């Protein structure tokens, strides 16, 4: 009776995980491989979930500079006051399609603003927070609403766009082998309009290269709240030659009329 029990116990022990893991080299290798695969999958899932929904600071990212050296740079500090820009607006306003473009350059406190609406060009200038139009050889102070007569400057100028991005949450980020970064952000309308309690979202897509930045924002859900006549609106912001614009001065104080 005792011999049968001993034989049965030996069989159970030899079939157990720990016996095979210790005595069967092939079984041991397979077990370790499975463990490492499961571990890697767990790490990948954890890293992805830990980044989603947070205000990810993509200002500090590793980029390749023009000397082929890798260094830590803050792209948004670089473009804060020196760049060429083009802002393209498209949408439906009062059941009519709208398409117009703001473009120009910025150096320090000086910004040129060229507005193109249906091939009609108007030229404006901005010094610090003040706007001007040039009549003959004199510059006249004007209100910002004369420059941005359809949509507020708060949704068109770079500094204001950066404030919106700080309120948004990162959905995901992708980077390519060439050093480009693509960011998908979601901005809750209620974080812009405090009196609004809905869950509507403004979608923001950011594409970053070494010295260029492109931002696509679908303002439809927001503009339906703050502008009654908008059915849809999307805006593309393209910033180029970042940090390469030669310093310029629009006017001296003596020229202001």
């Amino acid at each position: 009776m005792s011999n049968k029990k001993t034989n049965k116990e030996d069989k159970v022990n030899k079939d157990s995980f720990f016996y095979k893991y210790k005595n069967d080299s092939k079984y041991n290798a397979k077990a370790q491989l499975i463990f490492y695969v499961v571990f890697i999958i767990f790490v990948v899932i954890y890293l992805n979930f830990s980044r989603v929904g947070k205000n990810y600071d993509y200002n500090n990212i590793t980029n390749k500079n023009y000397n082929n050296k890798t260094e830590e740079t803050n792209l948004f500090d670089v473009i804060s006051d020196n760049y060429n820009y083009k802002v393209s607006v498209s949408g439906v306003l009062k059941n009519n399609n709208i398409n117009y473009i703001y473009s120009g350059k910025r150096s320090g406190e000086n910004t040129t603003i060229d507005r193109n609406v249906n091939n009609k060009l108007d030229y404006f200038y901005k010094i610090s927070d003040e706007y001007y139009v040039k009549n003959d050889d004199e510059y006249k102070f004007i209100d910002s609403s004369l420059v941005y007569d359809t949509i507020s400057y708060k949704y068109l100028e770079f500094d204001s766009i950066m404030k919106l991005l700080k309120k948004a949450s990162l959905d995901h980020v992708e980077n390519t082998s060439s050093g480009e970064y693509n960011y998908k952000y979601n901005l809750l309308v209620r974080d812009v309009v405090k009196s609004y309690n809905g869950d509507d979202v403004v979608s923001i897509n950011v594409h970053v290269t070494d010295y260029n930045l492109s931002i696509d924002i679908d303002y439809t859900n927001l503009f339906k709240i703050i502008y009654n006549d908008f059915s849809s609106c999307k805006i593309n912001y393209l910033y180029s030659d970042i940090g390469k614009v030669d310093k310029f001065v629009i006017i001296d104080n003596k020229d202001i009329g």
Side-chain angles (χ1 to χ4, degrees):
M1 181 75 176
S2 60
N3 290 336
K4 289 182 179 181
K5 185 176 180 181
T6 302
N7 292 336
K8 185 176 180 180
E9 289 177 349
D10 290 342
K11 183 178 180 181
V12 172
N13 291 336
K14 289 181 180 179
D15 289 337
S16 67
F17 169 80
F18 293 104
Y19 180 88
K20 290 183 178 181
Y21 185 82
K22 184 177 181 181
N23 297 281
D24 189 333
S25 59
K26 291 184 178 181
Y27 189 87
N28 180 290
K30 290 180 180 180
Q32 290 191 44
L33 178 61
I34 292 173
F35 172 78
Y36 287 125
V37 170
V38 171
F39 177 76
I40 291 172
I41 292 175
F42 172 80
V43 171
V44 171
I45 293 175
Y46 173 79
L47 290 176
N48 277 278
F49 272 95
S50 65
R51 297 170 72 177
V52 172
K54 295 183 179 180
N55 289 327
Y56 180 69
D57 182 9
Y58 60 92
N59 296 348
N60 293 311
I61 57 177
T62 301
N63 292 296
K64 295 178 181 178
N65 64 17
Y66 289 108
N67 295 320
N68 292 323
K69 295 179 181 178
T70 300
E71 60 181 16
E72 198 76 9
T73 63
N74 188 318
L75 183 61
F76 293 112
D77 281 346
V78 174
I79 69 173
S80 63
D81 63 358
N82 187 285
Y83 50 79
N84 289 324
Y85 71 92
K86 181 179 179 181
V87 179
S88 303
V89 180
S90 63
V92 179
L93 176 64
K94 296 181 179 179
N95 297 321
N96 295 315
N97 293 326
I98 60 169
N99 291 280
Y100 53 92
I101 296 173
Y102 289 93
S103 61
K105 61 182 179 179
R106 177 178 177 180
S107 175
E109 294 185 343
N110 296 279
T111 305
T112 64
I113 306 171
D114 302 342
R115 185 179 65 191
N116 185 335
V117 180
N118 297 324
N119 294 321
K120 180 181 181 298
L121 293 175
D122 294 295
Y123 303 97
F124 306 96
Y125 307 89
K126 183 180 181 183
I127 303 173
S128 188
D129 295 324
E130 299 178 345
Y131 297 86
Y132 297 88
V133 64
K134 187 175 183 181
N135 292 325
D136 296 327
D137 291 330
E138 292 188 349
Y139 292 87
K140 180 182 178 181
F141 174 82
I142 59 174
D143 189 77
S144 62
S145 62
L146 296 178
V147 182
Y148 304 109
D149 55 349
T150 304
I151 299 172
S152 171
Y153 72 92
K154 293 189 295 183
Y155 308 107
L156 293 168
E157 293 190 349
F158 174 79
D159 294 339
S160 297
I161 304 307
M162 293 301 102
K163 292 179 181 179
L164 290 179
L165 278 173
K166 289 182 179 180
K167 296 180 180 181
S169 296
L170 179 69
D171 183 87
H172 68 270
V173 57
E174 300 174 347
N175 64 290
T176 67
S177 58
S178 60
E180 299 179 359
Y181 288 78
N182 297 297
Y183 301 85
K184 166 69 175 179
Y185 272 80
N186 291 319
L187 173 65
L188 290 172
V189 172
R190 64 171 177 262
D191 287 340
V192 181
V193 182
K194 299 303 181 183
S195 60
Y196 184 71
N197 296 319
D199 295 323
D200 293 327
V201 171
V202 173
S203 177
I204 303 174
N205 293 291
V206 180
H207 178 67
V208 182
T209 60
D210 285 347
Y211 286 95
N212 293 281
L213 170 66
S214 177
I215 304 173
D216 288 286
I217 303 182
D218 186 346
Y219 283 107
T220 300
N221 289 333
L222 175 62
F223 284 3
K224 285 180 179 179
I225 303 299
I226 63 177
Y227 298 117
N228 294 328
D229 296 326
F230 266 101
S231 300
S232 66
C233 187
K234 296 181 179 181
I235 302 180
N236 171 261
Y237 309 81
L238 179 62
Y239 302 95
S240 60
D241 297 322
I242 297 168
K244 297 182 178 181
V245 175
D246 292 335
K247 182 179 180 181
F248 65 92
V249 176
I250 295 173
I251 53 178
D252 295 324
N253 289 335
K254 63 181 180 180
D255 296 323
I256 300 176

